[in-house]
Amino acid sequence: MRLQLKSFTTAGLVLVALALPGAAAGADPIQDDSAPPMKMLRLESGLAVPADGRFRSKAQEQAFSDAVSQAYAQGASDAELRDDFGLVNVSDAPASPKPQSALPSAAHQQAAAAALDEPTKAEPDDPSRGCTTGGVRTNGTNPDKFFVGAPQFYKAQGPGNPGFVVIAKWRWNDGADPTAGVSTCFANVGGRDGVGLTLSRNVTRLSQSLSICPYNVKCHAAGSMADNNARGAAFMFQDQASSVGSNSTSGSIAVSFRYLQPAKCHQAFAKYWHTWQETAVTGIGVGPYSLSVEWNSHDERWTRAGNAGNNGKC
């Protein structure tokens, strides 16, 4: 490419500028039209977003985070996250194992029904729903049947500090939350459950996402925001179950961010709060490497926390 030299005098000084041939007046003189076009990622929703995290808008970052969260909850491997989203796992902690089949076996259903001796909540049958309640049981389940994974840190494409996603997954170990007895209708299992993720250092938070995976359909975004700040995010959502499965056999929570201290060790952990009968999560707070919860009752509830994950610099 041939450059043209132009000079002019102002206040006794001779200034020299480089101009590109054919450049319009006022155009950026250092723009290189031969530069390759920006690489884009096509999300499952059809939306195209920049692969380089530095160039995504706020709305694009939220869509990207939602898509990553849903893929991770669905069981995407590190290789699939790299190929589909350009993300590279930089964590030291091992990734959570993939969940078992979400559809519970007949033996599981029988054992679950036998374990729930007394119906604690019943709803009348509603033929318009195309299902039968049969006395919806909403007892709690053993927290040992519930797994919360160590958060994983993924780096987006781009040099320097282009953006990162930290994401944690949970699942029912036996494939479903067996709390609805013989009902074939989905019924609320107590009040809302909660899930949160917190970081050990402040970051520039870009977006946050919650995904849940019903036993019979693909994972999808869900929940309402309970709290978010420079240390992470938390959500609340209503879990439901029937005799054949749950609306949240597994799920994930994700926070996309940029470092304020890129060279430092960053850790993260996640927590899940489960309720049944009349108990509900009413609030969650995200603090400095801490998560707090408010309930409407001291009974019918439990908390499950996962191990810490880190960004590979600890």
Side-chain angles (χ1 to χ4, degrees):
M1 177 183 299
R2 188 175 63 183
L3 301 178
Q4 299 175 351
L5 287 177
K6 296 182 178 180
S7 63
F8 55 94
T9 303
T10 178
L13 298 176
V14 177
L15 304 179
V16 178
L18 295 178
L20 297 176
D28 184 354
I30 64 172
Q31 180 179 350
D32 184 358
D33 293 335
S34 65
M38 182 182 300
K39 182 178 179 181
M40 304 294 285
L41 298 172
R42 180 72 63 177
L43 305 181
E44 190 172 275
S45 64
L47 179 68
V49 302
D52 191 326
R54 297 171 300 165
F55 301 111
R56 287 194 286 267
S57 67
K58 184 175 181 180
Q60 289 173 331
E61 187 64 38
Q62 184 62 61
F64 178 80
S65 175
D66 287 345
V68 171
S69 174
Q70 291 166 36
Y72 191 80
Q74 199 76 39
S77 65
D78 282 354
E80 290 169 328
L81 293 176
R82 182 187 63 242
D83 294 342
D84 294 343
F85 302 103
L87 294 173
V88 176
N89 192 336
V90 296
S91 305
D92 276 345
S96 308
K98 287 188 176 182
Q100 302 170 10
S101 172
L103 185 62
S105 65
H108 159 73
Q109 295 179 46
Q110 293 172 2
L116 303 174
D117 296 326
E118 296 183 3
T120 56
K121 181 184 294 185
E123 297 179 358
D125 289 344
D126 182 355
S128 67
R129 297 175 65 184
C131 56
T132 58
T133 58
V136 176
R137 298 182 173 101
T138 56
N139 294 35
T141 52
N142 188 343
D144 292 337
K145 295 288 187 180
F146 195 83
F147 172 85
V148 180
Q152 301 295 289
F153 286 76
Y154 290 89
K155 181 181 182 294
Q157 289 187 8
N161 188 17
F164 291 76
V165 179
V166 57
I167 185 167
K169 186 172 185 174
W170 78 84
R171 72 165 189 262
W172 292 95
N173 288 339
D174 49 8
D177 173 3
T179 57
V182 298
S183 171
T184 62
C185 294
F186 273 100
N188 290 349
V189 181
R192 289 186 297 182
D193 283 8
V195 60
L197 185 150
T198 180
L199 290 132
S200 60
R201 294 180 184 274
N202 285 355
V203 296
T204 300
R205 181 182 45 78
L206 303 176
S207 66
Q208 55 282 316
S209 302
L210 176 72
S211 297
I212 62 174
C213 305
Y215 80 98
N216 59 346
V217 296
K218 295 187 68 172
C219 304
H220 58 84
S224 59
M225 180 63 60
D227 194 15
N228 64 84
N229 54 45
R231 290 300 184 104
F235 291 85
M236 296 183 290
F237 75 98
Q238 181 62 60
D239 59 327
Q240 297 181 319
S242 74
S243 60
V244 294
S246 165
N247 72 336
S248 52
T249 59
S250 62
S252 69
I253 181 171
V255 175
S256 66
F257 67 94
R258 290 194 182 94
Y259 287 120
L260 293 174
Q261 300 171 294
K264 298 290 187 178
C265 164
H266 287 65
Q267 294 179 295
F269 76 90
K271 247 181 202 183
Y272 188 101
W273 299 274
H274 180 56
T275 67
W276 61 97
Q277 292 194 30
E278 304 301 325
T279 301
V281 171
T282 58
I284 305 172
V286 179
Y289 206 39
S290 63
L291 294 162
S292 59
V293 65
E294 296 177 353
W295 321 77
N296 65 352
S297 170
H298 294 290
D299 302 314
E300 294 89 42
R301 68 187 198 189
W302 50 249
T303 300
R304 196 71 165 162
N307 292 331
N310 69 71
N311 64 341
K313 298 184 179 182
C314 299

